Amino acid sequence: GTPQQLVGTLDKVFSKVDARANQLGVEKIKTIGDCYMAAVFGPRADPSEPQLIAELGATVESRQQLVEPLMLLADFMICSVSKFTLDGVHLGCRVGMACGPVVSGVIGISKFAFDVWGDTVNTASRMESGGVRGATQVTQAVHRLLRAAFDFEPRGPIPVKGKGHLETFIHYPDLRDVDSPTWSVATVGSVSGRGPSTIRGSMAV
């Protein structure tokens, strides 16, 4: 497809994801090309360090309540993307999710843009890049929080750049139901097509 068609398709996809993120209370961080990043933030670690997000003694139940909206958004993204085609090629999406502390804020003195950084974001990106089309790959920490509410398949230890081998788990959404039903959280996914026309990149959800 042409660049205009590609941008138009991305706009349609991400506009749907934006609307769903607002409904779920998930904060969109940014888009870069076909990258969509979003997060749910837990309590701050220290009032004197307002940019640092940390667990702060949250119960397992409260952590689960923080993470669930991101998984619901990931399911929505995968289901929504599967309904799009580009030059007759069906698009697909893979998503990665991790939870843990992040640092957030704005850098520089012009064209301000809020962003998040840290090992949690990097790990989420690795979960996406090593993930599976049409599914969300999560870390063991995310699996522990969501295993009672979502179905997962263990992948076993997989090599993760900069992390060695990590235990990961895969969740497949019900593609029949687009609306199916952190600690801070960041998720990353990518949209990709099968064939010569491809949209691929990291999206954080």
Side-chain angles (χ1 to χ4, degrees):
T2 66
Q4 291 82 2
Q5 289 174 319
L6 180 60
V7 171
T9 299
L10 284 172
D11 180 62
K12 291 177 182 177
V13 172
F14 289 158
S15 292
K16 290 172 69 70
V17 176
D18 283 348
R20 186 60 171 150
N22 287 335
Q23 292 173 351
L24 292 168
V26 174
E27 183 169 350
K28 175 183 178 180
I29 304 300
K30 62 182 177 180
T31 60
I32 302 177
D34 61 353
C35 170
Y36 189 101
M37 176 178 285
V40 174
F41 294 105
R44 293 174 176 174
D46 186 333
S48 66
E49 298 181 357
Q51 309 304 333
L52 183 62
I53 311 299
E55 175 192 359
L56 210 65
T59 66
V60 171
E61 182 179 1
S62 64
R63 293 183 215 162
Q64 178 181 330
Q65 291 172 350
L66 283 171
V67 177
E68 277 189 6
L70 276 172
M71 183 60 81
L72 293 174
L73 184 62
D75 282 358
F76 179 85
M77 178 181 290
I78 292 169
C79 293
S80 296
V81 169
S82 70
K83 299 181 182 299
F84 282 86
T85 60
L86 186 63
D87 286 348
V89 177
H90 282 280
L91 302 181
C93 179
R94 66 174 181 245
V95 177
M97 183 182 296
C99 65
V102 300
V103 175
S104 62
V106 177
I107 291 178
I109 60 174
S110 64
K111 294 188 177 180
F112 302 116
F114 179 79
D115 208 346
V116 293
W117 304 270
D119 184 65
T120 301
V121 179
N122 295 337
T123 301
S125 179
R126 301 290 184 256
M127 290 297 98
E128 176 273 321
S129 61
V132 177
R133 178 187 169 104
T136 299
Q137 179 166 246
V138 307
T139 60
Q140 193 169 39
V142 174
H143 173 255
R144 282 198 297 265
L145 294 175
L146 296 182
R147 60 190 175 189
F150 297 88
D151 293 327
F152 291 93
E153 296 179 7
R155 290 196 79 191
I158 65 168
V160 177
K161 183 178 179 181
K163 306 287 290 184
H165 284 72
L166 296 181
E167 290 282 350
T168 64
F169 301 81
I170 293 290
H171 166 70
Y172 290 93
D174 186 347
L175 294 179
R176 297 169 299 179
D177 185 6
V178 167
D179 292 319
S180 60
T182 192
W183 277 70
S184 55
V185 168
T187 66
V188 180
S190 70
V191 174
S192 60
R194 287 181 178 170
S197 299
T198 300
I199 305 172
R200 185 188 181 285
S202 294
M203 299 187 294
V205 186

